[in-house]
Amino acid sequence: MEILIKNICCIGAGYVGGPTMTMMASKCPDLIFNVVDINKTRITSWNNEDLSKLPIFEPGLEELIAKTRNKNLFFSTNIKEAIESADIIFISVNTPTKTKGLGAGKSSDLKWVEASARQVAKYSKGYTIVVEKSTLPVRTAEVIENILKTAKTNSKKEEISFDVLSNPEFLAEGTAIKDLDKPDRVLIGGDNKNAMIALNNIYKAWVPEDKILFTNIWSSELAKLTSNAFLAQRVSSINSISAICEVTGADIREVSRAIGKDSRIGSKFLDSGPGFGGSCFKKDILNLVYLAEYFGLTEVANFWQSVVQINTWHQKRISEIVVKKLFGTVTNKKLVVLGFAFKANTNDTRESAAITICKNLLNEGANLVIHDPKVTACQIENDLDINPTKSLETDISSFIAKSGAWKHSKSIDNLAIFNDAYAVLILTEWGEFRKLNWNDISKRMVPPAWVFDSRSIINTDEVREAGLNLWRIGDGLENK
Ligand code: NAD
Ligand code: UGA
């Protein structure tokens, strides 16, 4: 029997819920999308008239919001109403690693998923399809089903029933709109064919049918974790080789290019950097580790755990290199940090390598001036857990006299940020950092000044010609 869908609810208006529903709303103008969240501030930002003030920065998102918002896409905190009217509900809430209790440090904290399922059980009407959009440990669908099954009637004593599907999201931040528009695949896991077809009917509006895969629910959950684990593994692999390059005289860019030409390996995801960040890679691998340990697969658990361990080691390695190059001490030295987001084209800093590297350098007594085109001072303060110093940009001597202090710089346009700096560290590959005028910058710095390029984005000739010392990730000749 065909299941007709008209009203869609998404619980969770974050980096996944917001862009995903916006894309669906733009492709399915006859359907109504209600995106709800318990976070009032976030919803207010989603509804902000000024599209530059949306809660997340994502290229192409503003245009799509302008096309759909308050037409067939609505952001609100009215969770009850959105659930009541929904034929299909996407659960798109956060699933961070548990910080305490059973499985702490590895398994996902499902309290937000559980709360969402309970809200669905309380307010839904008639038959509803519930879709896991969040990334979840294998067999979480069972947990959701169990919660829903106990509710035979809703708060108004009306009969209710459900089907649970898994439909993990594969978008990457910074390219979310492009990824959603042309996904490599859409995965629909479940056991009720009619419910799966109903969800398929939404995607069919713009995704070619051969890209939509039907699987059983557990394969779908595991495929999402595995996909992230494989991607993270590639980054850890190439970063581990960058360390070998630096001591042997090889160049990681040349090695990447050479191995990427092998069609079995492929050229994507082979850029060595300061270590992978983002809210999901570490969390999802640790989830896999927990699963393997739970089933007594110790060797499997150790294999995946090492991908995270190498990443942590690599971030520490970079901060140590900075200290060593600056004559073994950075105490009271001003260092300019360019980039704080975990990758370019996003304002997200979760698990950003910049957090670890900056904390390590602050611990060593360095004074940091941090600039990122999209990350706010308030976000950096939260991440570093240290208040920024109040000294003015011009009051450089009092800033330098401090030790382990940091301040934010909104702009790098007038180059004042580089005055009296001992080094510049590039931690995120923002396009604007590629165009810096190193000749002008070098005149403002304290010789022998250094540039540390952890993303391989700057013109090495220009830096050298400006008389600056250069360290570049995985560059065996440059770093001698
Ligand atoms: P997020 O933290 O940005 O957003 C989650 C939102 O859910 C928050 O705004 C929070 O207030 C809201 N929420 C929590 N409990 C709620 C409840 N009971 N009712 C209503 N709202 C509630 O997280 P995110 O980055 O969007 O990730 C969401 C899920 O998607 C995670 O499982 C993540 O692993 C997965 N995922 C994320 C990405 C990504 O690029 N960020 C990509 C693919 C998958
Ligand atoms: C990643 C996956 O790419 C998405 O498919 C997935 O949906 C998402 O996680 C998720 O589940 O959250 P995301 O974390 O947004 O997306 O960004 P990526 O482009 O994967 O980058 C992750 C980290 O790896 C970044 O810190 C990035 O700088 C780093 N990276 C990536 C490298 O250091 N080198 C590379 O070649 C690629």
Side-chain angles (χ1 to χ4, degrees):
M1 198 190 67
E2 194 185 351
I3 301 166
L4 291 176
I5 303 289
K6 176 72 187 164
N7 289 295
I8 291 103
C9 162
C10 176
I11 305 179
Y15 283 86
V16 166
T20 308
M21 292 303 123
T22 306
M23 178 58 70
M24 286 185 179
S26 77
K27 301 289 184 182
C28 308
D30 297 333
L31 303 182
I32 307 291
F33 293 81
N34 286 301
V35 187
V36 289
D37 205 293
I38 42 176
N39 184 333
K40 283 198 183 96
T41 319
R42 218 168 204 186
I43 290 297
T44 306
S45 305
W46 278 113
N47 284 321
N48 202 313
E49 294 269 308
D50 179 353
L51 292 175
S52 70
K53 300 224 162 69
L54 294 176
I56 66 176
F57 170 74
E58 198 56 69
L61 179 64
E62 291 179 22
E63 292 82 342
L64 282 190
I65 288 278
K67 236 174 85 181
T68 51
R69 196 177 59 187
N70 297 331
K71 294 183 182 106
N72 67 329
L73 174 69
F74 304 90
F75 292 94
S76 91
T77 50
N78 198 336
I79 297 173
K80 176 174 178 280
E81 214 168 79
I83 293 176
E84 275 176 352
S85 66
D87 305 307
I88 186 161
I89 297 172
F90 289 88
I91 297 182
S92 196
V93 298
N94 36 320
T95 51
T97 306
K98 263 181 108 171
T99 51
K100 54 184 177 196
L102 198 65
K106 284 193 185 130
S107 78
S108 278
D109 193 338
L110 296 181
K111 74 175 177 209
W112 293 274
V113 173
E114 185 181 332
S116 305
R118 290 188 189 283
Q119 284 166 314
V120 172
K122 192 165 167 194
Y123 299 128
S124 65
K125 286 186 166 174
Y127 170 76
T128 312
I129 299 172
V130 177
V131 182
E132 297 176 344
K133 194 45 133 173
S134 297
T135 304
L136 295 168
V138 184
R139 301 203 81 93
T140 303
E142 217 162 46
V143 176
I144 297 177
E145 261 166 11
N146 282 338
I147 292 170
L148 297 177
K149 255 189 221 151
T150 54
K152 298 253 183 300
T153 57
N154 61 14
S155 54
K156 293 184 180 157
K157 306 277 178 255
E158 298 155 338
E159 273 191 29
I160 48 174
S161 63
F162 306 95
D163 269 307
V164 178
L165 301 178
S166 162
N167 173 225
E169 184 47 62
F170 294 99
L171 69 81
E173 288 177 30
T175 53
I177 298 304
K178 197 172 116 280
D179 297 341
L180 287 165
D181 191 27
K182 292 199 172 20
D184 284 346
R185 78 313 211 172
V186 166
L187 203 50
I188 299 179
D191 51 20
N192 180 336
K193 245 315 175 352
N194 290 330
M196 293 164 86
I197 290 170
L199 179 55
N200 180 45
N201 285 341
I202 298 179
Y203 283 109
K204 240 171 54 182
W206 80 100
V207 180
E209 279 201 56
D210 62 341
K211 300 221 169 199
I212 305 179
L213 310 181
F214 280 16
T215 66
N216 80 38
I217 203 153
W218 324 125
S219 304
S220 173
E221 289 176 339
L222 185 57
K224 172 62 196 176
L225 294 183
T226 309
S227 183
N228 274 359
F230 268 56
L231 290 168
Q233 173 269 123
R234 260 174 96 90
V235 178
S236 275
S237 298
I238 205 69
N239 283 342
S240 73
I241 301 299
S242 75
I244 297 184
C245 286
E246 286 165 29
V247 290
T248 56
D251 184 327
I252 196 64
R253 286 145 293 273
E254 293 179 354
V255 175
S256 293
R257 200 167 67 236
I259 65 167
K261 287 283 180 200
D262 185 326
S263 58
R264 294 166 302 173
I265 296 174
S267 60
K268 291 183 184 164
F269 249 74
L270 287 178
D271 293 330
S272 188
F276 63 75
S279 62
C280 297
F281 276 2
K282 186 172 164 194
K283 149 178 99 64
D284 293 349
I285 293 182
L286 292 176
N287 230 310
L288 211 53
V289 170
Y290 184 69
L291 186 77
E293 278 174 354
Y294 180 84
F295 287 106
L297 301 167
T298 311
E299 286 74 11
V300 177
N302 292 346
F303 173 73
W304 287 111
Q305 179 84 50
S306 73
V307 173
V308 175
Q309 277 165 351
I310 277 279
N311 197 51
T312 311
W313 169 80
H314 184 70
Q315 293 175 0
K316 189 162 153 261
R317 185 177 93 77
I318 291 179
S319 17
E320 284 174 359
I321 285 169
V322 174
V323 178
K324 277 188 200 145
K325 295 283 186 200
L326 295 177
F327 306 113
T329 176
V330 287
T331 306
N332 295 128
K333 288 181 180 165
K334 175 182 166 182
L335 312 182
V336 174
V337 173
L338 299 182
F340 202 78
F342 80 97
K343 63 186 282 197
N345 294 319
T346 177
N347 60 345
D348 196 349
T349 61
R350 290 177 288 181
E351 297 291 340
S352 177
I355 301 174
T356 314
I357 293 171
C358 288
K359 277 188 173 172
N360 289 347
L361 293 170
L362 289 168
N363 269 340
E364 291 278 346
N367 296 327
L368 307 180
V369 183
I370 305 175
H371 166 77
D372 186 288
K374 292 289 171 192
V375 180
T376 61
C378 184
Q379 185 58 50
I380 299 173
E381 187 175 341
N382 281 343
D383 290 330
L384 294 179
D385 206 13
I386 308 174
N387 296 335
T389 169
K390 295 276 178 276
S391 67
L392 299 170
E393 195 65 64
T394 46
D395 185 15
I396 233 54
S397 52
S398 75
F399 177 60
I400 292 173
K402 289 183 198 297
S403 156
W406 74 276
K407 59 196 243 175
H408 177 248
S409 177
K410 257 194 173 157
S411 155
I412 48 172
D413 290 349
N414 67 8
L415 302 186
I417 183 177
F418 299 102
N419 291 352
D420 302 311
Y422 285 72
V424 178
L425 278 70
I426 297 173
L427 299 185
T428 314
E429 70 281 24
W430 286 100
E432 61 193 79
F433 302 155
R434 294 173 198 267
K435 301 177 214 143
L436 291 169
N437 183 334
W438 291 107
N439 203 21
D440 288 352
I441 291 171
S442 74
K443 291 182 192 134
R444 295 164 179 267
M445 296 177 70
V446 180
W450 278 86
V451 177
F452 295 92
D453 181 6
S454 76
R455 296 281 188 173
S456 295
I457 58 166
I458 57 170
N459 184 321
T460 51
D461 290 342
E462 279 177 22
V463 172
R464 270 190 304 257
E465 278 159 24
L468 293 161
N469 291 306
L470 173 66
W471 176 89
R472 201 159 60 126
I473 189 90
D475 193 336
L477 292 181
E478 193 71 64
N479 302 340
K480 276 227 178 314

